[in-house]
Amino acid sequence: METSVILDTIWVVLAGMLVFFMNLGFATLESGMCRSKNTVNILSKNFIVFAVSSLGFFLLGWGLMFGDGNGFIGLKGLLFASGADNSPATGEAYQGVYSAISWAGIPFWVKFFFQLVFCGTAATIVSGAVAERIKYLTFILFSLILTAVIYPITGHWIWGGGWLSELGFLDFAGGTAVHAVGGWAALSGIMILGPRVGKYTKSGKVNAIPGHSVALATIGALILWFGWFGFNPGSTMAADPEAIGHILVVTNMAGIMGILTATATAWLKLGKPDMGMSINGLLAGLVAITPACAFVSVGSSIVIGAVGGILVVYATLLLDKLHLDDPVGATAVHLVNGVFGTLSVGLFAQEGIIGNEVNGLFFGGGFRQLGVQALGVVTVGAFIFATTALTWLVLKKTVGLRVPLKEELAGLDLGEHGNEAYPEFLQRRSGYTSLLEDISADDGTPKLSA
Amino acid sequence: METSVILDTIWVVLAGMLVFFMNLGFATLESGMCRSKNTVNILSKNFIVFAVSSLGFFLLGWGLMFGDGNGFIGLKGLLFASGADNSPATGEAYQGVYSAISWAGIPFWVKFFFQLVFCGTAATIVSGAVAERIKYLTFILFSLILTAVIYPITGHWIWGGGWLSELGFLDFAGGTAVHAVGGWAALSGIMILGPRVGKYTKSGKVNAIPGHSVALATIGALILWFGWFGFNPGSTMAADPEAIGHILVVTNMAGIMGILTATATAWLKLGKPDMGMSINGLLAGLVAITPACAFVSVGSSIVIGAVGGILVVYATLLLDKLHLDDPVGATAVHLVNGVFGTLSVGLFAQEGIIGNEVNGLFFGGGFRQLGVQALGVVTVGAFIFATTALTWLVLKKTVGLRVPLKEELAGLDLGEHGNEAYPEFLQRRSGYTSLLEDISADDGTPKLSA
Amino acid sequence: METSVILDTIWVVLAGMLVFFMNLGFATLESGMCRSKNTVNILSKNFIVFAVSSLGFFLLGWGLMFGDGNGFIGLKGLLFASGADNSPATGEAYQGVYSAISWAGIPFWVKFFFQLVFCGTAATIVSGAVAERIKYLTFILFSLILTAVIYPITGHWIWGGGWLSELGFLDFAGGTAVHAVGGWAALSGIMILGPRVGKYTKSGKVNAIPGHSVALATIGALILWFGWFGFNPGSTMAADPEAIGHILVVTNMAGIMGILTATATAWLKLGKPDMGMSINGLLAGLVAITPACAFVSVGSSIVIGAVGGILVVYATLLLDKLHLDDPVGATAVHLVNGVFGTLSVGLFAQEGIIGNEVNGLFFGGGFRQLGVQALGVVTVGAFIFATTALTWLVLKKTVGLRVPLKEELAGLDLGEHGNEAYPEFLQRRSGYTSLLEDISADDGTPKLSA
């Protein structure tokens, strides 16, 4: 075996494991940001979602995304990732049906694993947004469809040799392909699901529903930060020292600027440095730099991260104004900053950074790249929003989308799983009584009897 | 230094660190699945067990396992891992007393570390099964004996050039050598220790004793999953790209199928998708594929994992019927699936997968390999069960095995450590009062006065 | 790109990520060892400290530490890590202003990242010692000054080609440069801040203030252990198989001996094997071996770790006698054992271990190296203590050091962040009422009105 194949494999495998580890980050972040009565359910969703993603991406997703086909979908080697392939051969020597990813000189299953963990990330982003009210089975079915069919299609456009990649759309580590896809799926979900009971009253009041454990949430944030060092630098899919070092530092600088500006914005705007905002500031910075990390300078990454951290605070407030209830802020983080980051490639890209050949608007490249980036943002957004909305609606008509009100009030842990997360700890069910009061006060009649 | 040595070292060192990290997985899984009154004790056991394992494996274990000797034990370089050795030399160039592992072209201490973390895993498997009633000191002494003497002996049979390896017994990453060994030691322990007070009533009722934190347990499960990507792919002990990629995907597919079938089985059989069963389904799938991961196809791994996930649910119910009280299900996970996985090599192995030369029963190889695997299962099982049972009995006669009933009821944290895990949180001691009632009801007199 | 550059980059990047991950270890360790009313604040400090460190080290710290200059500070390429540099070129081929680290054949940003995570560690060590009473903003400002100015100066002396390195001072992975620096900064901080209210009564009584979650603390300890496998073996900054293997095992043996002797000492001295002591025993052993890990044998590492584990128990008791209140024992761990470990190089170093050319006192080298080590301990200690004390005092006069008494009693979470860590869980505020009583009893008048 050639040394370069071994080097690339070690790097990609370990980076992929770091991305896999983000499952724990999402599980703890999301459960910490929700109430204890729904903890088992959230953890279960975050746990099984990678099982479902693995199955869906193996059964069909890989083939749709990377199989040779047309500009819109892969058509060869569709099922069971079982098409012809002589990886790690590359270039002219490659003989197989997954040409779009044949530039990576690593064994087939290493490619598969690395792409699988990205697919799983998109699915797990959704879980937080729809938390505390969605049926467990429905979420499982949605995740299967998302990872087997929907995610791979736009993935094909961007990374599978499809029409967007032909146009020169740049998305290095998945700001659109992963984060915005997850974010659009989350948005359509929370629009169709509706807010958690008691979150918004008829009189227009927004009730804060604090999560049950800042410790869990912070554990999640730090694990995600750690995992992102696989997500972005690993997307080289090759052990390229200069690229890895650059992307690593750029990623970190954007993340830390997100923390600093989100914390400062919350401090100035809300009076105190709210920890949840600091956390989502980090994630906003990391998401924003994801599509751009191989194309922009360290200085630009500082700007991008700083903007991301401010954006996420205002986006969170805006979503609440629109009565779009996202318990963990997944939409503000992954959708808003996935879009912003994708556009920022068209603004901040610089020729010569890690072999990049494009200049963004701010570096003399004019509007061309920005236009392509915007086209990608809009078309992927439209496709994902439409297809996921359709999926949610079909699931609503068939298995049902939302748990009964009684179950939502009592908590999904008991209703969906028959478990309690912390059976020995005495708790005040935060908001339980007051929510009931809100319902009564606003509606005249308690909804419980509905 | 040759490039291949550097590559192999990087890979094995990092894989070994991932396996080491499983200590945190076991610590959180086991403490989450037990009651808060025993949390400090369980964490302490899982914390100190790797210290004790490191000492035991250094003092004697390594030499017994890998020292040149006869078919049953190593005899050279026994103490302090200090025998002659010129690693990373391999093959003809190797000059030393640890010939059985001289095929790995990595420095001596890298070999030692990688084997140490496997030894530590076997010991930590035991800790969960005997939790909530064993004396701290007794567990420490048992772990020392297990890792210094018992584990290395069967390890010598399998991986140290001993009689089972001579017969062609295949156990790639330790389904028998690690998991079943830990599982048999756990089984003898819980048989001799007896169940936790109140778990089984004289009238035959099985009381569920829920763990105190599903969050901790889920953190543990995801960390173990992550660590397994070191455990199985790392057992190549060489940076072999094809092997690493194959084993990685095979390991993941078995694990996710374990989640899916265990969740489905629990859903169908118990009415709800119990989270504990989902977690143990994952672990069952991962254990089951461990011995076979380098010898079977991705398709076979799906079957093996699926069977493992079903097995663990039924094994858990069976153990309860037999009044064998294993608070975390370690026996159902590691023993039952360690045995099943070891046998599955004899069923599913295919010639040509990663250099394997054996076909299992289902692929035209007849019963030969299955017979050898069964022989290994039985002899290792008999040896480990007998020697660990003897060890438990000697410890029972000397330092004592079990904490006093009063301490068990009040919790081992106070009795063994003088600590409380969560001193500020108000708790209902789940089962405390009802356990006393059970005791009274069944026995006529409260046992507390005993 | 040369293969050696790729190999070294993979190793150093992954080791650096492990060190980064120690941020989560410190966050969970420190929050677990403090009270729940201060959990958000502690997590916030541990979260933002790496953001601040990244900024400070980027803005100025890197240049001060590694820029060419005189024996005391770097003077070239000071700002934005933007001096000339043609890494990965080494030796004669290197052309740039960061000569002191030009021996490492890796890209510039990889060097920067690896050094950044070490700088961040020093800052995060402080956070635990000053916990439960320091103002959030003050800690942020202190961390910025520490990482931008103070840490880099002594870092320059030791690793940046400064006067201590010229004298032959040996500190392989930062026993002085990182741990003692963090420890001295912590010591000056707790001396100027004063103890938490209620910790020491006027009558001289020492009140134990137990942490709110042994689970969090243990998670932290195991993550730190894991991260140390990057910290010490990664400090090779090159993929040197023999060195990595040796340092890995030496690090682990010292850590486990620290666990065993601290646990035994606590058991003998305090009557029970206190879990907090077991944890700090691990950390003590790991800190103690950090400066020496590339210079001493496995046998010596066992002695060093064993001494560290005993030292930490007695140091903890001594600090309490001196009424120096360090809620997590950071001073006893990082300062005392950073000093001891640095001196132990002068005692236990052996020629020929990983290219080392010095023998310590116990191996026939006389007092020379021990003298140099002692000189480094004293001068770095004096400089860091003086400059950090000055910084604390300036901050005290300007933004203020300590939260108001009312806020300290009610918890910093509400006062500093407007968050609660666990809003749903019913808690007894451990010590709250009794602390008030202590205050009243000792002072005649309740301090709350002060």
Side-chain angles (χ1 to χ4, degrees):
Chain A
M1 187 67 69
E2 273 180 62
T3 299
S4 76
V5 174
I6 307 179
L7 288 161
D8 292 351
T9 297
I10 292 179
W11 172 246
V12 176
V13 159
L14 291 165
M17 291 178 190
L18 287 173
V19 181
F20 166 83
F21 198 50
M22 292 172 75
N23 280 295
L24 177 57
F26 282 107
T28 46
L29 179 78
E30 295 175 11
S31 59
M33 285 188 164
C34 293
R35 287 163 293 181
S36 67
K37 66 181 178 183
N38 298 317
T39 301
V40 174
N41 179 252
I42 291 165
L43 293 167
S44 294
K45 297 205 331 287
N46 277 286
F47 187 68
I48 207 163
V49 75
F50 193 72
V52 172
S53 301
S54 295
L55 195 66
F57 200 66
F58 175 73
L59 290 179
L60 180 61
W62 167 269
L64 270 180
M65 186 156 170
F66 292 107
D68 293 343
N70 56 36
F72 290 88
I73 55 166
L75 293 167
K76 290 193 184 165
L78 276 185
L79 298 181
F80 314 118
S82 62
D85 189 274
N86 71 336
S87 299
T90 59
E92 300 279 305
Y94 178 75
Q95 293 180 328
V97 300
Y98 307 115
S99 313
I101 200 168
S102 68
W103 58 270
I106 48 180
F108 178 76
W109 288 118
V110 176
K111 294 179 187 174
F112 176 82
F113 180 76
F114 195 75
Q115 292 299 327
L116 164 62
V117 292
F118 276 67
C119 176
T121 302
T124 205
I125 287 169
V126 182
S127 73
V130 298
E132 305 207 286
R133 55 217 195 273
I134 198 167
K135 280 189 171 180
Y136 186 52
L137 180 62
T138 305
F139 177 74
I140 291 175
L141 295 173
F142 179 84
S143 301
L144 186 64
I145 295 163
L146 182 69
T147 57
V149 184
I150 298 174
Y151 168 92
I153 290 177
T154 49
H156 184 80
W157 301 359
I158 300 167
W159 291 339
W163 71 276
L164 273 171
S165 72
E166 290 292 318
L167 279 180
F169 180 74
L170 293 175
D171 182 7
F172 188 73
T176 287
V178 179
H179 292 282
V181 163
W184 287 114
L187 181 65
S188 71
I190 63 180
M191 289 177 70
I192 293 167
L193 259 175
R196 289 167 293 173
V197 60
K199 175 68 186 174
Y200 309 113
T201 63
K202 278 199 174 169
S203 49
K205 196 179 143 209
V206 176
N207 289 317
I209 303 184
H212 83 286
S213 172
V214 176
L216 274 179
T218 308
I219 289 173
L222 281 159
I223 290 175
L224 288 173
W225 196 345
F226 180 56
W228 235 289
F229 292 154
F231 205 95
N232 285 5
S235 288
T236 53
M237 290 187 74
D240 175 344
E242 290 289 349
I244 290 170
H246 179 88
I247 297 170
L248 182 61
V249 168
V250 153
T251 299
N252 187 64
M253 291 315 283
I256 66 116
M257 289 308 299
I259 294 177
L260 295 173
T261 59
T263 304
T265 307
W267 211 329
L268 294 169
K269 200 167 165 64
L270 312 172
K272 305 249 185 192
D274 177 83
M275 182 60 180
M277 287 299 182
S278 300
I279 286 174
N280 277 345
L282 165 74
L283 301 179
L286 292 172
V287 170
I289 202 63
T290 293
C293 57
F295 311 127
V296 304
S297 70
V298 173
S300 296
S301 75
I302 289 176
V303 178
I304 292 170
V307 173
I310 297 167
L311 270 183
V312 77
V313 178
Y314 285 93
T316 302
L317 299 173
L318 177 67
L319 285 164
D320 260 346
K321 264 195 194 144
L322 300 172
H323 285 203
L324 292 169
D325 181 23
D326 181 339
V328 305
T331 321
V333 167
H334 298 278
L335 175 52
V336 172
N337 284 283
V339 166
F340 163 63
T342 303
L343 296 176
S344 79
V345 175
L347 301 171
F348 294 95
Q350 275 177 272
E351 209 183 318
I353 291 180
I354 314 181
N356 172 40
E357 295 170 356
V358 172
N359 277 312
L361 180 63
F362 297 162
F363 293 92
F367 285 92
R368 211 206 87 83
Q369 190 64 35
L370 187 58
V372 175
Q373 299 299 110
L375 182 68
V377 163
V378 170
T379 53
V380 170
F383 179 82
I384 296 291
F385 187 84
T387 52
T388 55
L390 183 68
T391 308
W392 292 121
L393 290 170
V394 169
L395 289 169
K396 187 174 183 176
K397 289 286 176 196
T398 50
V399 289
L401 216 54
R402 193 164 174 145
V403 300
L405 177 60
K406 270 189 190 168
E407 182 179 328
E408 187 177 340
L409 289 170
L412 278 69
D413 290 1
L414 287 170
E416 298 290 282
H417 304 274
N419 297 139
E420 274 185 279
Y422 310 103
E424 300 181 25
F425 294 87
L426 296 177
Q427 293 163 59
R428 84 180 77 98
R429 286 301 185 196
S430 108
Y432 185 86
T433 315
S434 62
L435 289 182
L436 280 182
E437 284 162 6
D438 278 334
I439 297 166
S440 313
D442 282 330
D443 294 18
T445 55
K447 277 186 183 152
L448 264 183
S449 53
Chain B
M1 187 68 69
E2 274 180 61
T3 299
S4 75
V5 174
I6 307 178
L7 288 162
D8 291 352
T9 297
I10 292 178
W11 172 246
V12 176
V13 159
L14 291 165
M17 290 177 190
L18 287 174
V19 180
F20 167 82
F21 198 48
M22 293 171 75
N23 280 296
L24 177 56
F26 282 107
T28 45
L29 179 78
E30 294 175 12
S31 59
M33 285 188 164
C34 293
R35 287 163 293 180
S36 66
K37 66 182 179 183
N38 299 316
T39 300
V40 175
N41 178 252
I42 291 165
L43 293 167
S44 295
K45 297 204 333 286
N46 277 286
F47 187 68
I48 207 162
V49 74
F50 194 70
V52 172
S53 302
S54 295
L55 195 67
F57 199 65
F58 175 71
L59 290 179
L60 180 60
W62 166 269
L64 271 181
M65 187 155 168
F66 290 107
D68 293 343
N70 55 36
F72 290 87
I73 55 167
L75 293 167
K76 290 194 184 165
L78 277 184
L79 299 181
F80 313 118
S82 62
D85 189 273
N86 71 336
S87 300
T90 58
E92 300 278 305
Y94 178 74
Q95 293 179 327
V97 300
Y98 307 114
S99 314
I101 200 168
S102 68
W103 58 269
I106 49 180
F108 178 75
W109 288 119
V110 176
K111 293 179 187 175
F112 176 82
F113 180 75
F114 195 74
Q115 291 301 326
L116 164 62
V117 293
F118 276 67
C119 176
T121 303
T124 207
I125 287 168
V126 181
S127 73
V130 298
E132 305 207 285
R133 56 217 195 273
I134 199 167
K135 280 189 170 180
Y136 186 51
L137 179 61
T138 304
F139 177 74
I140 290 176
L141 295 173
F142 180 84
S143 300
L144 187 64
I145 296 164
L146 182 69
T147 57
V149 183
I150 298 174
Y151 169 92
I153 291 177
T154 48
H156 184 79
W157 302 359
I158 299 167
W159 291 339
W163 71 275
L164 273 171
S165 74
E166 289 293 319
L167 278 181
F169 180 73
L170 293 175
D171 182 7
F172 188 73
T176 287
V178 179
H179 292 281
V181 163
W184 288 114
L187 181 66
S188 70
I190 62 180
M191 289 177 69
I192 294 167
L193 260 175
R196 290 168 291 174
V197 59
K199 175 66 186 175
Y200 308 113
T201 62
K202 278 202 175 167
S203 51
K205 198 179 143 207
V206 176
N207 287 317
I209 303 184
H212 84 286
S213 172
V214 176
L216 275 179
T218 308
I219 289 173
L222 281 160
I223 290 175
L224 288 173
W225 196 346
F226 180 55
W228 235 288
F229 292 154
F231 205 96
N232 285 5
S235 289
T236 52
M237 289 186 74
D240 174 345
E242 290 288 349
I244 291 170
H246 179 87
I247 296 171
L248 182 61
V249 168
V250 152
T251 299
N252 188 63
M253 292 313 285
I256 66 117
M257 288 309 299
I259 294 176
L260 295 174
T261 59
T263 305
T265 306
W267 212 328
L268 293 170
K269 200 168 164 63
L270 312 172
K272 305 250 185 190
D274 178 83
M275 182 60 178
M277 287 298 182
S278 299
I279 287 175
N280 278 344
L282 165 72
L283 301 179
L286 292 171
V287 170
I289 201 63
T290 293
C293 57
F295 310 128
V296 304
S297 70
V298 173
S300 295
S301 76
I302 289 175
V303 178
I304 292 170
V307 173
I310 297 166
L311 268 182
V312 77
V313 177
Y314 285 94
T316 303
L317 299 173
L318 177 66
L319 285 164
D320 261 346
K321 265 196 194 144
L322 298 173
H323 286 204
L324 293 170
D325 181 22
D326 181 340
V328 306
T331 321
V333 167
H334 299 278
L335 175 53
V336 172
N337 283 283
V339 166
F340 163 63
T342 303
L343 296 176
S344 78
V345 176
L347 300 171
F348 293 96
Q350 275 176 272
E351 210 183 318
I353 292 180
I354 313 181
N356 170 42
E357 294 169 357
V358 171
N359 277 312
L361 179 63
F362 296 163
F363 292 92
F367 284 93
R368 210 206 88 82
Q369 191 63 34
L370 186 60
V372 174
Q373 298 300 107
L375 183 67
V377 163
V378 170
T379 52
V380 170
F383 179 82
I384 297 292
F385 187 83
T387 51
T388 56
L390 183 68
T391 307
W392 291 121
L393 289 170
V394 169
L395 290 169
K396 188 173 181 176
K397 289 286 176 195
T398 50
V399 289
L401 215 54
R402 195 164 172 146
V403 300
L405 177 59
K406 270 188 189 169
E407 182 180 329
E408 187 177 341
L409 289 171
L412 278 69
D413 290 2
L414 288 171
E416 300 289 283
H417 303 274
N419 297 140
E420 274 184 279
Y422 310 103
E424 299 181 25
F425 293 87
L426 296 177
Q427 293 162 60
R428 83 180 77 99
R429 288 300 186 198
S430 107
Y432 184 86
T433 316
S434 61
L435 287 184
L436 280 182
E437 283 162 7
D438 278 333
I439 296 165
S440 314
D442 281 330
D443 293 17
T445 54
K447 277 186 182 152
L448 265 182
S449 52
Chain C
M1 188 67 70
E2 274 180 62
T3 299
S4 75
V5 174
I6 307 178
L7 288 163
D8 292 352
T9 297
I10 293 178
W11 172 246
V12 176
V13 159
L14 291 165
M17 291 177 190
L18 287 174
V19 180
F20 167 83
F21 197 49
M22 292 171 74
N23 281 295
L24 178 56
F26 282 107
T28 46
L29 179 77
E30 295 175 12
S31 60
M33 285 188 164
C34 294
R35 288 163 293 181
S36 67
K37 64 182 178 182
N38 299 316
T39 300
V40 175
N41 178 253
I42 292 165
L43 293 167
S44 294
K45 297 204 333 285
N46 278 287
F47 187 68
I48 207 164
V49 75
F50 193 72
V52 172
S53 302
S54 294
L55 195 65
F57 200 66
F58 175 73
L59 291 179
L60 180 59
W62 167 268
L64 271 181
M65 186 155 170
F66 291 107
D68 293 343
N70 56 34
F72 290 87
I73 56 168
L75 293 167
K76 291 194 183 164
L78 276 184
L79 298 182
F80 313 118
S82 62
D85 188 273
N86 71 336
S87 301
T90 58
E92 300 278 305
Y94 178 74
Q95 293 178 328
V97 300
Y98 307 114
S99 313
I101 200 168
S102 67
W103 58 270
I106 48 180
F108 178 76
W109 288 120
V110 176
K111 293 179 188 174
F112 176 83
F113 180 76
F114 194 74
Q115 291 300 325
L116 164 62
V117 292
F118 276 67
C119 176
T121 301
T124 206
I125 287 169
V126 182
S127 73
V130 299
E132 305 207 287
R133 55 217 195 273
I134 199 166
K135 279 188 172 182
Y136 186 52
L137 180 61
T138 305
F139 177 75
I140 290 175
L141 295 173
F142 179 84
S143 300
L144 187 63
I145 295 164
L146 182 69
T147 56
V149 184
I150 298 175
Y151 168 92
I153 291 177
T154 48
H156 184 79
W157 302 0
I158 299 167
W159 290 338
W163 69 277
L164 273 172
S165 73
E166 291 291 318
L167 279 181
F169 180 74
L170 293 175
D171 183 6
F172 189 73
T176 287
V178 179
H179 292 281
V181 164
W184 288 114
L187 181 66
S188 70
I190 62 179
M191 288 177 70
I192 293 167
L193 259 175
R196 291 168 291 174
V197 60
K199 176 66 186 175
Y200 309 112
T201 62
K202 279 200 173 167
S203 51
K205 197 179 143 209
V206 177
N207 288 317
I209 303 184
H212 84 287
S213 172
V214 176
L216 275 179
T218 307
I219 288 173
L222 282 159
I223 289 175
L224 288 173
W225 195 347
F226 180 56
W228 235 288
F229 293 154
F231 205 96
N232 285 5
S235 289
T236 53
M237 290 188 73
D240 174 344
E242 290 288 348
I244 290 170
H246 179 87
I247 296 170
L248 181 62
V249 168
V250 152
T251 299
N252 187 63
M253 291 313 284
I256 66 116
M257 288 308 299
I259 294 177
L260 294 175
T261 60
T263 305
T265 306
W267 212 327
L268 293 170
K269 200 167 165 62
L270 312 172
K272 305 250 186 191
D274 177 83
M275 182 61 180
M277 288 298 182
S278 300
I279 286 174
N280 277 345
L282 166 74
L283 301 179
L286 292 170
V287 170
I289 202 64
T290 293
C293 58
F295 311 128
V296 303
S297 70
V298 173
S300 295
S301 76
I302 289 175
V303 177
I304 292 170
V307 173
I310 297 167
L311 270 182
V312 78
V313 178
Y314 284 94
T316 303
L317 299 174
L318 177 67
L319 286 164
D320 261 346
K321 264 196 195 144
L322 299 172
H323 285 204
L324 293 169
D325 181 22
D326 181 340
V328 306
T331 322
V333 166
H334 298 279
L335 175 52
V336 173
N337 284 284
V339 166
F340 163 63
T342 303
L343 297 176
S344 79
V345 175
L347 301 171
F348 294 95
Q350 276 175 272
E351 209 184 318
I353 291 180
I354 313 182
N356 172 41
E357 295 169 356
V358 171
N359 277 313
L361 179 63
F362 296 163
F363 292 92
F367 283 93
R368 211 205 88 82
Q369 190 63 35
L370 186 59
V372 175
Q373 300 298 110
L375 182 67
V377 163
V378 169
T379 53
V380 171
F383 179 83
I384 296 291
F385 187 83
T387 51
T388 55
L390 183 69
T391 308
W392 291 122
L393 289 170
V394 169
L395 289 169
K396 188 173 182 175
K397 289 286 175 196
T398 50
V399 289
L401 215 55
R402 193 164 173 145
V403 300
L405 178 60
K406 269 189 191 168
E407 183 179 327
E408 186 177 339
L409 289 170
L412 278 70
D413 289 2
L414 288 171
E416 299 290 283
H417 304 275
N419 296 140
E420 275 185 278
Y422 310 103
E424 300 181 25
F425 293 87
L426 295 178
Q427 294 162 59
R428 84 180 75 99
R429 286 301 185 195
S430 108
Y432 185 86
T433 314
S434 60
L435 288 183
L436 280 181
E437 282 162 8
D438 279 333
I439 296 165
S440 314
D442 282 329
D443 293 18
T445 55
K447 278 182 182 154
L448 265 182
S449 52

